Amino acid sequence: MIETVTKKYDSIDNTFCSYRVTYVNSNRVKSVPLDPANTDYQAIQEWIAEGNSVIDNPPE
Amino acid sequence: MALSKVDLANQVENQLPQNLVANNLPFRNIIINGDMSIAQRGTSANTLASSGYYTLDRFKFQAISAGVWTMSQDTNVPTGQGFAKSLKMDCTSTDAVSGNDLLIIRQYIEGQNLQYLKKGTANAQSLTASFWVKSNKTGTYILELYDVDNTRQISKSYTIDSADTWEKKTITIDGDTTGAFDNDNGGSLIVSFWLAAGSDYTSGTLSDTWSSPTTANRAVGQVNLADSTSNYINITGVQLEAGTTASDFEFLPVDVNLQRCQRYYQVLADGSQQTLSMIGLGFYYSAVLMIMAIQYYTEMRATPSLDNVSGTNYYRIFANGTNDYFDDFFLTSTNTTNKVCDLRNESDISGATGDIGFVRTENAASFVAFDAEL
């Protein structure tokens, strides 16, 4: 079960490059590409649609 | 002694089992890892209550409020059938299951692997499912095929007759002349072994012909395997093939089986197998950014996620005579495809720009894998 989703930014060009996902009661972390065919990406979109919020700290 | 004319065709027909002659198409099994031999994520996982992939490759645990389970790769197999492993579900906490509760073991199949079935045409092929099953809980179980692309499904019931006894089940499913599978890498067909179903799925009449789904008709008669902590089920030898008869299970060499699984999930490093496991070469793009270039063992179904266990100093890069420890990796979409990716760390490391070093695991719990499952 997803616990947090954080936007990851590429420090080379400051573009949004992937999601970092943590899970409840787990030290497993997923780095999820922005690909609609990826089922973790799909799960994040469903998680957002359920009203959950993505942590977003864009580089300044 | 003079040589006589040899009728080779007759010798083949007479000496080989008939089903090897008539039905021996290679890769006829639509199911991947049907002999339960590959378990890259691990051989056992306990306290399972939410859906996910936990142990055996390609077989997903799907659950909504249906107890708590241990899922494992088991060595209990039907005698004399050639199998070495089975999938075992063991109930550790019960649930009465109601409403939309469910418990399913399922496999998603890519549409591009199903085109030869000619679904959605007048020539649609029948399918035959065969598998071995053993449980303490006798009664009616449901096998369901679900067409994701066209939202259609068909359910077939089978009976476990004798407790604690391996039984082989064979189920033939008519071809569906409505709705073609998409010819792509998406999940088009779901093969589901129902193990428990709430009343939402059981209150109608079993839909044993292809049709648009009616929820109440999907799992009518299904026993509740979650009603006792004594309950378990073992499954192996799962085969789904075109035609109306079941051929012998198609055993594949372990390397072929593994490679087929790696299209969906592959492990790059596992500290539990080798604490100081080599991952590859990395370099310092800058003083605070380390990058590794990775080529997967085999092309993956889609751009994968990085599946990574994070922990303090679980990984390190050794460069220019110095160890530099870090906790985990991330990947970037711009440099990641279904063939290659870059792995990075920029939260923990500190080095000299341009230095190259080898990267390895540093803890028995360290784990790096790529996940492109359906």
Side-chain angles (χ1 to χ4, degrees):
Chain A
M1 186 184 301
I2 292 176
E3 185 172 53
T4 65
V5 177
T6 306
K7 282 188 176 180
K8 186 72 182 172
Y9 288 86
D10 188 330
S11 62
I12 296 175
D13 59 12
N14 289 338
T15 57
F16 169 37
C17 65
S18 57
Y19 286 107
R20 175 186 167 90
V21 184
T22 64
Y23 297 88
V24 177
N25 296 325
S26 174
N27 58 355
R28 193 62 68 88
V29 174
K30 278 194 169 180
S31 184
V32 179
L34 311 178
D35 180 357
N38 179 293
T39 51
D40 290 314
Y41 179 86
Q42 295 167 10
I44 291 169
Q45 304 313 308
E46 291 173 11
W47 185 80
I48 294 170
E50 290 167 1
N52 297 292
S53 298
V54 174
I55 300 167
D56 186 8
N57 297 308
E60 297 182 0
Chain B
M1 184 171 66
L3 291 173
S4 60
K5 185 177 177 183
V6 176
D7 185 343
L8 187 59
N10 266 335
Q11 282 209 348
V12 170
E13 287 287 335
N14 292 335
Q15 292 176 15
L16 289 176
Q18 191 59 39
N19 55 3
L20 283 182
V21 176
N23 192 2
N24 66 345
L25 292 173
F27 296 103
R28 63 187 177 276
N29 191 358
I30 292 167
I31 299 293
I32 295 173
N33 197 27
D35 63 353
M36 310 298 176
S37 60
I38 307 296
Q40 294 185 86
R41 294 172 182 81
T43 56
S44 183
N46 54 27
T47 63
L48 302 183
S50 58
S51 302
Y53 291 90
Y54 295 106
T55 58
L56 289 147
D57 280 58
R58 305 257 44 232
F59 287 93
K60 186 177 185 181
F61 173 88
Q62 192 86 29
I64 300 174
S65 300
V68 180
W69 295 83
T70 296
M71 181 179 187
S72 62
Q73 184 188 43
D74 198 33
T75 54
N76 192 312
V77 292
T79 302
Q81 301 301 321
F83 300 104
K85 301 288 172 56
S86 66
L87 181 159
K88 184 177 185 180
M89 297 291 299
D90 195 2
C91 183
T92 58
S93 181
T94 65
D95 195 291
V97 296
S98 60
N100 69 343
D101 297 350
L102 60 79
L103 178 66
I104 297 170
I105 297 297
R106 58 177 32 167
Q107 185 169 129
Y108 290 72
I109 312 294
E110 288 180 61
Q112 60 192 354
N113 284 344
L114 300 169
Q115 297 302 305
Y116 68 95
L117 298 178
K118 301 182 280 289
K119 188 174 180 298
T121 76
N123 298 321
Q125 292 248 340
S126 297
L127 287 164
T128 296
S130 56
F131 54 93
W132 288 84
V133 64
K134 173 184 174 181
S135 175
N136 65 303
K137 191 168 184 70
T138 59
T140 299
Y141 289 73
I142 301 298
L143 177 75
E144 179 189 39
L145 302 190
Y146 195 103
D147 169 0
V148 177
D149 297 330
N150 303 286
T151 318
R152 293 171 64 76
Q153 64 87 230
I154 184 169
S155 295
K156 294 287 186 179
S157 66
Y158 63 95
T159 304
I160 294 182
D161 299 301
S162 302
D164 306 315
T165 305
W166 280 105
E167 300 173 8
K168 185 175 184 181
K169 305 300 176 185
T170 300
I171 298 168
T172 296
I173 299 141
D174 290 339
D176 185 10
T177 56
T178 301
F181 289 128
D182 294 346
N183 186 20
D184 60 20
N185 63 348
S188 290
L189 180 68
I190 308 173
V191 181
S192 294
F193 289 90
W194 286 77
L195 304 179
S199 55
D200 286 4
Y201 311 101
T202 61
S203 56
T205 303
L206 190 67
S207 54
D208 60 358
T209 57
W210 283 102
S211 61
S212 296
T214 298
T215 302
N217 299 342
R218 291 180 62 185
V220 179
Q222 173 65 49
V223 300
N224 178 16
L225 193 68
D227 66 0
S228 168
T229 55
S230 298
N231 288 351
Y232 72 90
I233 191 168
N234 287 73
I235 303 171
T236 195
V238 182
Q239 182 151 291
L240 181 67
E241 60 194 305
T244 56
T245 58
S247 65
D248 287 350
F249 183 83
E250 182 186 22
F251 289 98
L252 296 176
V254 65
D255 56 324
V256 176
N257 211 7
L258 175 61
Q259 190 171 36
R260 296 200 78 195
C261 292
Q262 285 175 331
R263 176 173 172 78
Y264 304 90
Y265 191 86
Q266 54 183 266
V267 178
L268 182 62
D270 182 354
S272 70
Q273 295 183 357
Q274 176 69 35
T275 303
L276 303 179
S277 174
M278 186 63 73
I279 300 174
L281 289 174
F283 76 101
Y284 287 89
Y285 180 90
S286 69
V288 294
L289 174 60
M290 184 278 297
I291 300 177
M292 301 179 67
I294 301 291
Q295 183 173 19
Y296 313 129
Y297 303 130
T298 188
E299 183 174 306
M300 301 196 76
R301 180 194 65 84
T303 309
S305 304
L306 169 66
D307 185 6
N308 194 195
V309 172
S310 178
T312 302
N313 297 339
Y314 270 24
Y315 309 91
R316 70 166 146 156
I317 176 170
F318 180 78
N320 201 17
T322 303
N323 283 312
D324 192 7
Y325 297 88
F326 56 99
D327 297 351
D328 52 33
F329 300 89
F330 71 96
L331 54 73
T332 62
S333 286
T334 46
N335 296 311
T336 299
T337 69
N338 67 339
K339 301 176 182 66
V340 294
C341 78
D342 70 358
L343 297 184
R344 301 184 180 190
N345 179 276
E346 60 182 3
S347 54
D348 309 308
I349 59 104
S350 176
T353 303
D355 274 1
I356 296 174
F358 62 76
V359 179
R360 66 187 197 186
T361 60
E362 192 64 21
N363 189 290
S366 306
F367 188 82
V368 184
F370 297 103
D371 188 347
E373 258 296 357
L374 283 162

